[in-house]
Amino acid sequence: MSSLDELFKKPSAPSNKRKLEINGRNADAVYKATKISANGDVKTNARATVADEGQDDEDVAAGPELPPDEEEPVPDDDEGRFFGGGLTKDTADVMDFIDQQDKDETVRLDAGSAKSEARLTAFVQKSEKVDVNWLRKLALNFERRISKNTELRAKFEDKPEKFMGSEADLDADIKALSILSEHPGLYEEFAKLGCVSSLVSLLSHDNTDIAIDAIEIINELTDEDVEAEQEQWDALVDAMLEADLLNLLYENISRLDEDIESDRAGIYHVLSVLENLSSRPSIAATIGLKTQLLPWLLSRIRKTEVTVSQNKQYAAEILAILLQSSSENCNKITSLDGIDTVLQLLSPYRKRDPAKGTEEEEYMANIFDCITCLVDLAAGKAKFIEAEGIELCLIMLRGGKMSKPRALRLLDHVLGGPENASCCEKLVEAAGLKPTFGLFMKKQDKEMTEHLLGIFASMLRSLPANEAPRIRLLAKFVEKDYQACDRLVKLRREYASKVAVIDGEIKQERARLDAEESEERADEWFSRRLDAGLYVLQTVDVILAWLVAEDDGARRNIRSLLGDRDEGLKDVMATLQGQSIESFEDGQTLILLAEQLDTMNANTEDQDPMLKDMFSTLIQHLL
């Protein structure tokens, strides 16, 4: 009979696989070889391998004969099956093993950094009550784990096996902090105990798995789904920021390798933390001004990939959030030549659409959001023109599909705001009037209509009088027997009727409320009127007023078209004046239209003091 040394090999080296694979092995062998690591991951740390694995079990004799079972075994039939179940013994063992695994607590494996729900549940159950005393015990144990691991790492720097046990215990304690997300009332005490600083310090741990676990817990604690009061959330986050969280996050994304699955998940958690923190605008500004995270995000969205990955899409989303939250961030990205970079990323979509429902579709939308924020500032507009952004948008208007509405929205922002005259002139110079008016003359949805009207209103406001670009623009409104004017009047009627319905509802609601209650609901009513199309109505009336003021033929045509429905220039004037001219049965005039400046641009008065004078002049032409 062969010896045991001949039959069995030594255990193989620890496996790096993060998923449990059975691959047809005996269930009992799988059970013995599989261990649950301290962080809850299932890993095959040791594996006994049969030398002649391909041979049948009956061909190999190893060791003494096994003692008989207490119960008489059920004999097999001629084909080796049990009479009762129709399964071989090996198959039955495997099935029993799988059933047992299903009964266990769920162990979630997520890119190598999943937490063991069973272990966490057991930890909480041992605690009598989740309160301040419980938290203090947890904090004391957590600090001890960190100290022990630090001590052992320093003492046995070249002998990892000496400190790996303490690292596993530390990993488990990090994951145990997850329960705090269900008790945000303890956040302030958690910060006072100094545990927040200790948790953040683990982001600099030499073991990236420990750092990633700490980042994941920080993400859970700061997530918007946590039902924390603002003061509680602020106390936790302020303590994290004092511990230099932002720079440590940057250091981690710099050292993590996305080719490794666990590191890729770690970067995703870093981005998620940034999203959570950006809910406070002051932190969003700090991220841009005091860290290198913005340059990293810009470089990450440029990274070439065969298929747009989740992290690339998420990086674009976070960059868009940071740019929307802070004008300082926009200026910094602009100074890094970010507009040219983003336009290069958008260029492939001028005639090609990303597949629907994919990461790439959302990625493209986020890239458009980024550059839309950048061009709202004067420096961004200049860079946009220099990088031939208007020409790219016009190509998308002519041949794009998914990119068309986003390109139109981008043009609306480029041509809007202060210091936009050069942008308006560039649009005319680049032959942009034909595609924009071509879209305008066709039926569009509300959003497209808003952007088209916004573009026309901006050009009428900013193009210099009596110069070629303005004359070419006015010619588009009067050509083909004033077709564009006719389209404007039809749009006015359509949206005026929609707004009138909402105004009627608001009138009835206002009648049942006192003055204080009406004031409380003012914002809600205004929002409903905007949803009905108030912005479109007001922008149409601004354009009509410009045409009436500048062209006698347009004035006669518009007055005739309005007269078909017993309307007149007084209705247009009422919109510009900011109030309705209709009287109701009580003899009181209900103010239904908000100030034009407030509706079209909340900051217009501060940005352009001349605009009110412009509206006053337009009103005079309507008298």
Side-chain angles (χ1 to χ4, degrees):
M1 182 169 59
S2 301
S3 67
L4 292 176
D5 292 337
E6 294 174 348
L7 290 173
F8 294 96
K9 296 179 180 179
K10 294 181 180 180
S12 61
S15 170
N16 292 324
K17 292 184 179 179
R18 298 188 178 276
K19 294 184 179 180
L20 177 65
E21 297 180 0
I22 296 180
N23 293 333
R25 293 162 53 198
N26 178 270
D28 187 64
V30 173
Y31 176 78
K32 293 179 180 178
T34 304
K35 296 182 179 180
I36 304 297
S37 66
N39 65 356
D41 290 346
V42 180
K43 297 182 181 179
T44 52
N45 292 325
R47 186 176 299 157
T49 308
V50 180
D52 298 323
E53 203 171 40
Q55 298 178 3
D56 294 335
D57 292 342
E58 61 185 7
D59 293 337
V60 180
E65 183 178 354
L66 294 174
D69 296 331
E70 294 181 4
E71 296 182 7
E72 188 70 14
V74 179
D76 295 345
D77 64 3
D78 294 338
E79 298 180 1
R81 298 175 298 178
F82 290 106
F83 283 110
L87 297 175
T88 64
K89 185 175 185 305
D90 288 345
T91 305
D93 288 343
V94 172
M95 295 297 293
D96 290 341
F97 172 74
I98 294 174
D99 290 341
Q100 182 60 38
Q101 292 296 100
D102 290 340
K103 292 177 183 178
D104 292 338
E105 292 287 338
T106 302
V107 178
R108 181 164 55 94
L109 299 176
D110 182 14
S113 61
K115 62 187 176 185
S116 171
E117 300 290 348
R119 185 165 190 161
L120 181 58
T121 302
F123 179 87
V124 176
Q125 288 176 345
K126 291 179 182 179
S127 304
E128 296 179 359
K129 185 179 180 181
V130 180
D131 56 10
V132 174
N133 290 331
W134 170 88
L135 179 62
R136 288 173 180 170
K137 293 178 182 178
L138 179 73
L140 181 60
N141 187 62
F142 182 55
E143 296 291 349
R144 285 175 177 172
R145 296 292 193 199
I146 296 175
S147 298
K148 182 179 179 181
N149 178 248
T150 303
E151 179 183 347
L152 291 177
R153 268 189 165 270
K155 187 175 181 180
F156 303 105
E157 184 177 357
D158 298 327
K159 298 179 180 180
E161 67 275 6
K162 296 288 188 179
F163 57 76
M164 287 308 294
S166 68
E167 217 134 282
D169 292 336
L170 175 58
D171 183 79
D173 281 8
I174 293 172
K175 288 179 168 59
L177 296 176
S178 175
I179 191 64
L180 286 175
S181 63
E182 300 177 13
H183 302 276
L186 298 174
Y187 277 8
E188 294 179 74
E189 184 67 22
F190 187 59
K192 290 178 182 178
L193 291 172
C195 284
V196 173
S197 177
S198 298
L199 176 62
V200 172
S201 70
L202 291 176
L203 270 65
S204 59
H205 199 281
D206 291 337
N207 186 343
T208 56
D209 288 338
I210 295 292
I212 290 171
D213 286 342
I215 293 169
E216 186 174 1
I217 291 301
I218 291 172
N219 179 35
E220 290 186 28
L221 297 179
T222 58
D223 192 88
E224 62 178 4
D225 292 334
V226 175
E227 297 179 357
E229 299 293 334
Q230 189 63 45
E231 295 79 9
Q232 298 166 349
W233 191 89
D234 287 343
L236 179 71
V237 171
D238 288 342
M240 291 179 175
L241 295 177
E242 289 177 7
D244 204 21
L245 173 63
L246 296 179
N247 284 314
L248 288 173
L249 289 173
Y250 172 71
E251 290 178 7
N252 273 274
I253 58 176
S254 299
R255 68 168 171 164
L256 295 177
D257 182 3
E258 287 196 73
D259 291 333
I260 302 173
E261 185 178 358
S262 60
D263 286 12
R264 186 163 59 249
I267 290 179
Y268 182 88
H269 292 311
V270 170
L271 295 173
S272 186
V273 171
L274 292 176
E275 181 179 9
N276 297 341
L277 298 179
S278 297
S279 60
R280 190 199 291 178
S282 60
I283 299 179
T286 301
I287 290 173
L289 296 176
K290 297 185 179 181
T291 73
Q292 292 299 310
L293 286 166
L294 280 181
W296 182 88
L297 289 170
L298 190 62
S299 65
R300 181 62 186 87
I301 65 176
R302 295 179 61 182
K303 186 177 179 180
T304 303
E305 297 177 347
V306 177
T307 302
V308 175
S309 65
Q310 186 180 38
N311 280 358
K312 184 175 182 178
Q313 178 273 316
Y314 204 3
E317 181 179 345
I318 298 304
L319 181 58
I321 291 173
L322 293 174
L323 294 177
Q324 291 168 5
S325 303
S326 168
S327 58
E328 290 88 352
N329 290 342
C330 291
N331 284 326
K332 183 168 184 178
I333 288 293
T334 301
S335 68
L336 295 172
D337 208 15
I339 287 182
D340 186 63
T341 297
V342 175
L343 286 175
Q344 290 180 29
L345 296 175
L346 287 176
S347 180
Y349 302 112
R350 60 190 184 276
K351 292 186 179 180
R352 178 183 72 82
D353 290 338
K356 290 186 177 181
T358 61
E359 299 285 355
E360 187 178 8
E361 181 183 11
E362 191 169 354
Y363 167 78
M364 183 189 78
N366 290 325
I367 293 298
F368 266 108
D369 289 342
C370 289
I371 197 164
T372 300
C373 294
L374 295 174
V375 299
D376 281 335
L377 301 180
K381 295 180 191 297
K383 290 283 188 179
F384 188 79
I385 293 176
E386 181 182 336
E388 299 183 350
I390 288 179
E391 288 84 349
L392 177 61
C393 288
L394 293 177
I395 292 174
M396 291 178 174
L397 291 187
R398 296 185 184 101
K401 293 181 181 179
M402 294 177 101
S403 61
K404 181 181 295 184
R406 293 181 174 89
L408 189 64
R409 171 173 171 256
L410 178 55
L411 282 176
D412 188 12
H413 280 259
V414 173
L415 271 60
E419 301 182 37
N420 63 334
S422 59
C423 300
C424 295
E425 293 174 0
K426 186 65 176 179
L427 179 70
V428 178
E429 179 186 326
L433 293 179
K434 182 176 181 179
T436 51
F437 273 87
L439 289 172
F440 177 67
M441 296 307 296
K442 299 176 183 177
K443 186 173 180 59
Q444 306 290 346
D445 60 27
K446 179 171 172 284
E447 184 178 0
M448 290 275 285
T449 301
E450 286 179 355
H451 294 313
L452 285 166
L453 293 172
I455 289 171
F456 297 152
S458 296
M459 288 195 291
L460 286 168
R461 185 180 73 241
S462 302
L463 287 175
N466 301 320
E467 292 193 10
R470 189 175 192 87
I471 294 172
R472 290 174 62 183
L473 172 64
L474 294 173
K476 296 297 291 186
F477 281 105
V478 303
E479 68 180 10
K480 298 182 180 179
D481 197 21
Y482 299 95
Q483 283 187 358
C485 293
D486 184 61
R487 172 73 174 147
L488 285 169
V489 173
K490 288 180 179 178
L491 280 174
R492 188 187 193 284
R493 288 172 182 161
E494 176 185 349
Y495 284 93
S497 62
K498 292 179 180 179
V499 173
V501 172
I502 300 300
D503 288 343
E505 295 176 359
I506 294 174
K507 177 187 175 183
Q508 295 177 359
E509 294 171 11
R510 187 190 295 269
R512 297 192 294 267
L513 303 176
D514 58 27
E516 184 177 350
E517 292 173 327
S518 296
E519 184 177 354
E520 291 177 355
R521 298 194 58 185
D523 290 342
E524 175 199 339
W525 288 336
F526 184 60
S527 178
R528 285 165 57 186
R529 300 183 72 236
L530 285 176
D531 292 340
L534 178 61
Y535 176 81
V536 173
L537 174 62
Q538 291 182 321
T539 309
V540 166
D541 282 350
V542 169
I543 296 172
L544 290 175
W546 275 113
L547 296 176
V548 168
E550 296 208 32
D551 188 89
D552 291 337
R555 181 187 183 95
R556 289 191 297 271
N557 182 268
I558 292 170
R559 178 175 287 174
S560 174
L561 291 170
L562 290 172
D564 293 342
R565 299 284 183 89
D566 294 327
E567 298 171 323
L569 296 180
K570 66 180 184 302
D571 298 285
V572 177
M573 182 177 65
T575 302
L576 300 184
Q577 287 176 326
Q579 66 180 34
S580 172
I581 62 170
E582 293 183 23
S583 297
F584 297 93
E585 295 179 358
D586 58 4
Q588 298 296 320
T589 299
L590 178 64
I591 296 182
L592 295 173
L593 299 176
E595 286 290 335
Q596 175 73 20
L597 298 176
D598 293 338
T599 305
M600 296 183 64
N601 191 327
N603 298 318
T604 299
E605 184 173 358
D606 295 333
Q607 295 173 350
D608 190 355
M610 300 294 293
L611 199 55
K612 273 190 173 181
D613 293 338
M614 180 195 74
F615 278 109
S616 298
T617 302
L618 289 178
I619 290 172
Q620 292 299 318
H621 284 280
L622 296 173
L623 295 175

